[in-house]
Each structure stands twice: as C-alpha cells, then as structure tokens.
Amino acid sequence: MSSVMTTVTNFFTTTDPLFLWLSGGALGLLVVATLIGAVLAYRVRTPAGRDTVRNLNARIRSWWVMVALFAAAMLLGSVVTLVLFALLSYLALREFITLTPTRRGDHAGLFLSFFVVVPLQYWLVGTGWYGLFSIFIPVYVFMALPSLSVLGADTTDFLTRTAKAQWGVMLAVYCTSHAPALLWLDIPGYSLPGALLLLYLMTVAQLSDVFQYVFGKLWGKTRLSPGISPSKTVEGLVGGGLSAIAIGTGLHVITPFSPLQAAGMSLVIVTAGFFGGFVLSAMKRDLGVKDWGTMIEGHGGVLDRLDSVVFSAPLFFHLTRYWFT
Amino acid sequence: MIPLLQPALRHGLLGLTRLLVGARASWEGSAPADVPRIYFANHTSHLDTLAVMAALPPALRARTHPVAALDYWGGSALRRLVAVGCLNALLVDRTGKATAEVMDAMAAVLESGQSLILFPEGTRGDGTVAPFKSGLYHLAQRVPAAELVPVSIENLHRVMPKGMPLLVPLICTMRFGAPLDVVEDEDKAAFLERARDALVSLSRPQTQSGTQPDSQSDSKSTGQRTAR
C-alpha cells in the first residue's frame, strides 16, 4: 500500500500543475455530466426521450472508461496502457469475427490473428520498432491470412471470407494500436508525458461524437444518410464537429502543436472519426445487426465505442510523427 | 488438498471461458430460478459445460450439476478435480452397465431441489442438432416435478469445430427457453421429438447472433437488412 501512496504523492508533486488542472477539469466535467444524465433518466417520461437519455448515459459511461484507461496509463505506466489496448483489440476482433461468416479453412488463420498477431503488434509498439510496426499487418498478415485459408482447399466465398478477416485485423488490431503508439513518439522540445497526446486524441474524438449527437438531437433536420445511420444529421455534424475543433484548439497547451496546428489536427480527428463511425455503421447494416456486441449490457460492444478512434488514431499518429518528430 | 485451490481454479476456468467465448446468457421464455431443473443443451464442443456454467448466475451455478462421463472425467485425479471439485459435475457410467444407478443418482440430485445439465444428443454435432437419446425421457418420467429447460448454445461449434485442435474466440450466447409443457401419457418418441424441436426453435441463424433490433435510435428506418 505504501508504495502506491508514494507513487500517488510523487505523481502530484512532480506533475505539471497545468496537467493537474486539466485532469481536475475533466473529472469535474464528467461528474457534472453523470449527474445531469442521472437527473434526466429520472425525469424523462416519453419512450423516445428515454432512448435518447439512455444513449447519452451510455456515452457518458464510455467517457469514464476512457478516463480510467488514461488514469491507468498515467499512474501505472505505458506497459499497462499497452496491455489494456491489446485487450480492447482482442475484444473488438472477437466482436468482428463473431458477426462474420467463417468456414473450417479459415480456422488456423483466425487462431493466429487472435493469439499471435494481437500480442506481436503490441509488442512491436512497445519496442518502438516503427518500421515493422507499420507494415507487419498490412504486408505480412495481409498475405499470411489468405495463404493459410487456401490450404483448406475451400473456394466457397473465398474472397469474401479473406477480405472480412483482413478487415477485422486491420480495424481491430492495426488501426487501434496506433492510439497507444502515441506514447512512444519522441517529440523534440515537448516535455509533457506522451500519454497526453493519447488523451488529446481520445478527448477530441469522443467529444466530437457526443457533440454531434447532442447538436443533432437539438437542431438536427437534414439527415445525412437515413439508410446507414439515422441519427447522423448535417446540423449535428457541423455544430458538433466545430465545437470539438474549438475544444481541440483550446487544448493545444497539452500538445506540441500551436493553436492553428491543433485546430488542423482536431479537424483531421473529427473528420476521420465521423467517417469511422459512418463506415462501421454501414458494415453493421450489411451484416444485419444493430450493434457489434453486447459487452456493455444494452450499450453495444467495444467496436461501437471505438469506431471513431479506429479511423482517427492512425492519421493522428502519422501526421504527428511526420511533422513533429 | 489446499483449501483455496478449488474456488481459485473454478474462478480461473470460468474467467478464461468468458474471455474466450463471452458466455452470455439470454433468458428467453424462462427466468433464473432456484427450482429443480433439467437444463438440456445441444452438444457443440468441449467447452459446452463450462460455457453453460459461466452463463448461469452464481447462486444457481452452485446448485447445478453437469452430467459428465465417468470414463473420461473420472480418469485421472486432475480431471476429477476439474469436473467434480470445480464444476460440481455428476459423473455417470455411460457404458450402459449401470443404467439404474445412473438414473438413481440423477433423480436424487433433482429430488434434493438442485438442477442438472444434460446433453441428450450424446455426441458432438457440427451445428445441427442430432436425435436425442432416451435418458431425458426416463428422467422426466421419474421426476415429473423437475422443469425441462432447453438451452441453445450458439456459435460454440465455430469456436472449436470437431477435429480442430485450435480455438478461435467468438462471442457465444446461451439461450434459455421456456420449460417444456407436461403432456399426459406421451410416448417416448413423441416426447424426444418435442424436446428436440424446442431446442432447435430456440437457435438463431449463425453469424447473425448480434442484438436484435429494438427501439433504440440506430435501429429505425433501416429497410435494407440483408437476409443470409
């Protein structure tokens, strides 16, 4: 216990006051949001209103998870963050493959995807071996999966099966692994912990989701594509996106970016996050389901909560790496 | 025996099962209740018993006994520890030499107010449900007070297909259906067919095992769900 206390004490005495203010602010915001959600859940009467509040509360709960992940990253170190993200990748891949038709011939390749590709990709992140980290899945796994499947000598839906397995690994493992990889970026002149970049990505992506939802509910009229995602509206996208970019610009103090650069980065995160959610919704429609899973009872699966981060993480990582390291 | 070994091993096994196959319970037609029940399930893989046990609420799990083969699970001290010590299994002789004793042992569990898990197909299927063996009928005749609850194990045959040593993690759902109605003077064949039908009608088409659409926002106005 005393070592935990020492860690906590050291954390508060050695950490930048700016960072403490920010974490305090984030925590306060979450508590307020949770209280509002609880009051709304108690007061709302109509079925449609109840659905909206339930959805909002699910999003607030996923914030808490994000904050908990981030706190674990700060207090327990980067290896814990890596293990947590590896677990998220594993669970997301499990959701994806569960909904994907597979045949006997795919079995060996899928086994490798779960028990070799996931640990290896995160090990590559942890060793900082950028060269292999960035091509391991798009090159080696890309070829290994169909090579293993073809040994099953079963041509039924071969292209479809292969493509779906490759997509699963790309989304759940490759794209997701770029979020914790931010902790290993070595940025000259940037003295704050790398976990703050991860916090920045998560905050902008999640706030963008929530603001788009809230703006859409309040002022949304023009539906973007009712056949794919009925809750997405033009008003929500513009209002929510701009709000998230404004906050992302304000948060430039925890990044190596200037305010203008931070605005550009936020624009990238918001745009990629929007398309991530949109593309994954289209896939769900194609597969005939509403949610990727039931991990969080009634609130969908891991992929439902990660969809915006899945697309924005690799872009944010590569832009930051290219221009700031 | 080390006192904490069995609970630790039990939690470890059930936790590992959840990490691999999710083992989500979906009560559709019956609710969890501490009454004597015969849960009868389709046999899809080696993980069936663990998955059904992991899906049961802890209070019921402690009073539920999977019926397992004595020749395999009684074969070594370790297997016996896992089956009997961790999973409360009732080991039965399936050679046919001691049918009366087996029936007595199963009936005794039900008469003491506890429950059983049975796999009446007797053998592992490949996603289809084979005809039932007659043990279920005789047990139901012997203890008419016990509820017969069908449990459809979904997706688990994809996790570990027959003859495949490797395991692919997928989310598996246990669907607990409505208890079978009691029908007076039903003959054996009709009863077994009815029980099997109850199990088959519980299962959903595979690869579409996600949450069915409900009233939440995203489910409205789809109009283009693909049927496979």
Side-chain angles (χ1 to χ4, degrees):
Chain A
M1 267 327 275
S2 68
S3 71
V4 175
M5 282 309 295
T6 322
T7 313
V8 174
T9 317
N10 283 347
F11 175 77
F12 280 106
T13 47
T14 57
T15 312
D16 191 42
L18 168 74
F19 170 67
L20 285 180
W21 275 108
L22 277 169
S23 355
L27 209 62
L29 202 68
L30 264 179
V31 171
V32 170
T34 309
L35 288 177
I36 292 175
V39 171
L40 283 176
Y42 177 73
R43 291 190 52 172
V44 74
R45 289 284 177 271
T46 61
R50 227 176 254 143
D51 279 344
T52 308
V53 172
R54 205 187 300 139
N55 195 317
L56 188 71
N57 282 337
R59 281 159 202 264
I60 294 171
R61 263 192 292 277
S62 72
W63 285 3
W64 279 107
V65 175
M66 300 283 175
V67 167
L69 276 177
F70 173 69
M74 289 305 299
L75 285 168
L76 301 171
S78 44
V79 174
V80 175
T81 318
L82 211 54
V83 172
L84 283 171
F85 272 90
L87 195 62
L88 286 179
S89 279
Y90 169 88
L91 294 172
L93 185 62
R94 194 176 73 166
E95 288 171 358
F96 193 95
I97 302 296
T98 299
L99 294 177
T100 299
T102 56
R103 294 172 68 85
R104 275 182 78 89
D106 306 321
H107 210 70
L110 291 173
F111 173 82
L112 284 180
S113 304
F114 281 99
F115 296 111
V116 177
V117 174
V118 172
L120 209 53
Q121 175 72 4
Y122 281 90
W123 178 77
L124 288 170
V125 174
T127 55
W129 188 356
Y130 172 75
L132 191 54
F133 154 74
S134 57
I135 63 160
F136 170 57
I137 289 173
V139 175
Y140 293 93
V141 177
F142 178 78
M143 291 177 209
L145 285 179
S147 302
L148 284 167
S149 286
V150 84
L151 294 177
D154 178 3
T155 55
T156 311
D157 293 330
F158 186 78
L159 179 60
T160 312
R161 280 156 46 205
T162 306
K164 283 179 175 169
Q166 288 167 329
W167 261 89
V169 175
M170 278 299 284
L171 287 176
V173 189
Y174 184 74
C175 290
T176 308
S177 70
H178 284 74
L182 290 165
L183 270 65
W184 275 263
L185 281 181
D186 191 14
I187 302 168
Y190 177 62
S191 58
L192 295 171
L196 286 179
L197 279 179
L198 177 58
L199 174 73
Y200 184 78
L201 167 70
M202 293 295 203
T203 308
V204 176
Q206 290 294 314
L207 283 181
S208 172
D209 271 3
V210 174
F211 285 146
Q212 282 182 43
Y213 182 75
V214 171
F215 273 78
K217 276 285 164 199
L218 292 177
W219 294 289
K221 286 191 180 62
T222 327
R223 285 185 166 181
L224 264 164
S225 178
I228 297 174
S229 193
S231 60
K232 281 191 168 45
T233 61
V234 178
E235 293 81 2
L237 173 62
V238 173
L242 287 178
S243 313
I245 292 170
I247 289 186
T249 310
L251 282 176
H252 80 92
V253 286
I254 61 164
T255 69
F257 318 135
S258 71
L260 192 63
Q261 288 165 337
M265 286 293 193
S266 296
L267 177 65
V268 170
I269 295 172
V270 166
T271 311
F274 169 77
F275 278 105
F278 212 26
V279 166
L280 267 76
S281 284
M283 286 184 185
K284 284 189 281 190
R285 293 282 176 240
D286 185 20
L287 292 166
V289 295
K290 193 180 79 64
D291 289 320
W292 286 106
T294 48
M295 193 75 197
I296 323 152
E297 199 65 46
H299 312 301
V302 173
L303 263 180
D304 292 293
R305 294 288 151 228
L306 273 186
D307 54 8
S308 53
V309 177
V310 162
F311 267 38
S312 51
L315 289 181
F316 181 64
F317 175 87
H318 284 292
L319 292 177
T320 308
R321 188 178 180 278
Y322 184 75
W323 271 309
F324 296 91
T325 65
Chain B
M1 187 67 56
I2 311 158
L4 284 175
L5 183 63
Q6 286 183 9
L9 201 58
R10 173 163 48 236
H11 281 107
L13 276 174
L14 294 175
L16 190 64
T17 304
R18 291 196 188 94
L19 186 65
L20 290 172
V21 300
R24 200 175 71 91
S26 175
W27 295 86
E28 309 175 356
S30 57
D34 188 11
V35 294
R37 275 178 174 171
I38 305 167
Y39 296 105
F40 62 99
N42 50 325
H43 199 9
T44 61
S45 87
H46 293 309
L47 292 171
D48 290 347
T49 305
L50 273 169
V52 176
M53 287 297 263
L56 285 172
L60 294 189
R61 192 187 306 136
R63 292 172 58 74
T64 302
H65 304 265
V67 176
L70 175 69
D71 50 296
Y72 183 79
W73 289 105
S76 73
L78 180 66
R79 284 184 202 159
R80 195 177 274 275
L81 173 70
V82 169
V84 182
C86 296
L87 298 173
N88 315 325
L90 176 69
L91 298 186
V92 298
D93 185 340
R94 60 176 175 182
T95 55
K97 274 181 266 171
T99 320
E101 284 91 331
V102 167
M103 202 50 74
D104 287 346
M106 292 197 291
V109 170
L110 294 171
E111 279 153 5
S112 73
Q114 307 196 49
S115 300
L116 291 172
I117 301 173
L118 281 181
F119 297 95
E121 291 167 272
T123 174
R124 273 170 66 185
D126 51 1
T128 56
V129 182
F132 282 3
K133 301 239 189 281
S134 56
L136 188 66
Y137 171 76
H138 296 301
L139 190 59
Q141 293 285 307
R142 170 89 175 258
V143 193
E147 284 186 359
L148 289 147
V149 176
V151 183
S152 173
I153 302 178
E154 195 169 80
N155 251 344
L156 210 48
H157 66 280
R158 284 174 69 205
V159 171
M160 249 181 138
K162 216 168 185 169
M164 289 275 186
L166 303 175
L167 181 153
V168 169
L170 297 170
I171 300 164
C172 304
T173 306
M174 317 296 133
R175 301 187 186 282
F176 292 82
L180 289 188
D181 295 325
V182 179
V183 177
E184 295 289 320
D185 302 324
E186 193 177 23
D187 75 359
K188 191 171 83 178
F191 169 84
L192 291 175
E193 189 57 33
R194 190 161 64 89
R196 186 181 169 277
D197 286 347
L199 187 55
V200 171
S201 63
L202 254 185
S203 62
R204 304 254 169 92
Q206 45 173 297
T207 74
Q208 285 203 23
S209 54
T211 317
Q212 294 301 304
D214 58 29
S215 60
Q216 281 193 9
S217 57
D218 262 1
S219 68
K220 284 169 198 157
S221 73
T222 61
Q224 46 185 14
R225 251 166 237 292
T226 43
R228 264 174 226 278

